[in-house]
Amino acid sequence: MLAWMKIFYKVLIIKKEVFAKIREYNFNVLYVEDNAQVQMHTLKMLDNFFPNIICAKDGNSGYDVYEKIDNNINLIITDIQMPSCNGLEMIKRIRKQNLKIPIIIFSAYSNTDYLLDAIKCGIDGYIVKPYSLQHIYDTLVDLTTKLFNHKETF
């Protein structure tokens, strides 16, 4: 077998193991998106990875959900631009209480200012819309691999 095929095969096995652990662990995700159509489409993709996804329509409702069940949320995925309270403001409020919870932003904005502000908030990933299932998959595998290697997060 060629060397690159062996590496590809090992990576594939690692990815399968990571997602099996996510399902076994009963991983809980808070997904915050104001656009109902985007939320529905993305939720279908996320359902492939996570057994439990709680949705919110904006930063205020996302924060309210987080406050009610923060010890049971393992990952936050949020948009940036939303009415009433944007994703960055929600992240800043959550970071005052929890510096460790992993946060990924899915956004149509690739603007440097948004990205720099997001980095200051301590995000763990930034995916620009429109995104592909492969990009989400790779980001989630990287993030969850890190999480399972540092189990004290749970």
Side-chain angles (χ1 to χ4, degrees):
M1 187 182 281
L2 297 171
W4 69 268
M5 288 177 79
K6 286 181 184 177
I7 293 170
F8 179 76
Y9 183 69
K10 285 180 183 177
V11 168
L12 202 58
I13 289 171
I14 290 169
K15 287 181 178 183
K16 278 186 169 184
E17 290 172 358
V18 167
F19 285 109
K21 283 183 181 179
I22 287 171
R23 292 250 175 230
E24 178 185 317
Y25 182 75
N26 209 22
F27 216 81
N28 296 307
V29 175
L30 172 58
Y31 174 49
V32 186
E33 169 63 62
D34 64 313
N35 182 309
Q37 188 174 12
V38 171
Q39 188 182 74
M40 184 181 70
H41 175 71
T42 304
L43 195 53
K44 286 179 185 177
M45 284 195 283
L46 293 174
D47 277 337
N48 292 306
F49 305 112
F50 302 108
N52 303 313
I53 303 168
I54 303 147
C55 294
K57 63 180 178 169
D58 60 37
N60 282 330
S61 60
Y63 183 75
D64 290 344
V65 168
Y66 174 79
E67 271 196 314
K68 288 177 187 168
I69 57 173
D70 70 333
N71 289 332
N72 292 319
I73 300 288
N74 304 102
L75 171 66
I76 297 170
I77 299 172
T78 185
D79 187 15
I80 290 181
Q81 283 294 67
M82 296 180 284
S84 76
C85 176
N86 72 35
L88 292 174
E89 289 304 316
M90 179 192 70
I91 292 168
K92 289 173 186 174
R93 290 168 66 190
I94 289 171
R95 285 291 186 228
K96 287 179 182 176
Q97 297 173 23
N98 186 332
L99 294 172
K100 290 184 178 183
I101 190 163
I103 300 174
I104 298 173
I105 292 176
F106 289 0
S107 178
Y109 296 92
S110 57
N111 171 316
T112 307
D113 292 336
Y114 281 124
L115 184 56
L116 291 174
D117 202 12
I119 290 169
K120 287 178 189 173
C121 291
I123 62 157
D124 298 277
Y126 193 104
I127 298 176
V128 178
K129 296 175 187 175
Y131 35 75
S132 69
L133 183 59
Q134 187 62 49
H135 193 176
I136 292 173
Y137 183 83
D138 291 341
T139 301
L140 293 175
V141 166
D142 290 345
L143 178 62
T144 52
T145 300
K146 288 177 195 171
L147 290 175
F148 284 118
N149 288 334
H150 297 92
K151 289 185 174 101
E152 73 277 357
T153 305
F154 300 109

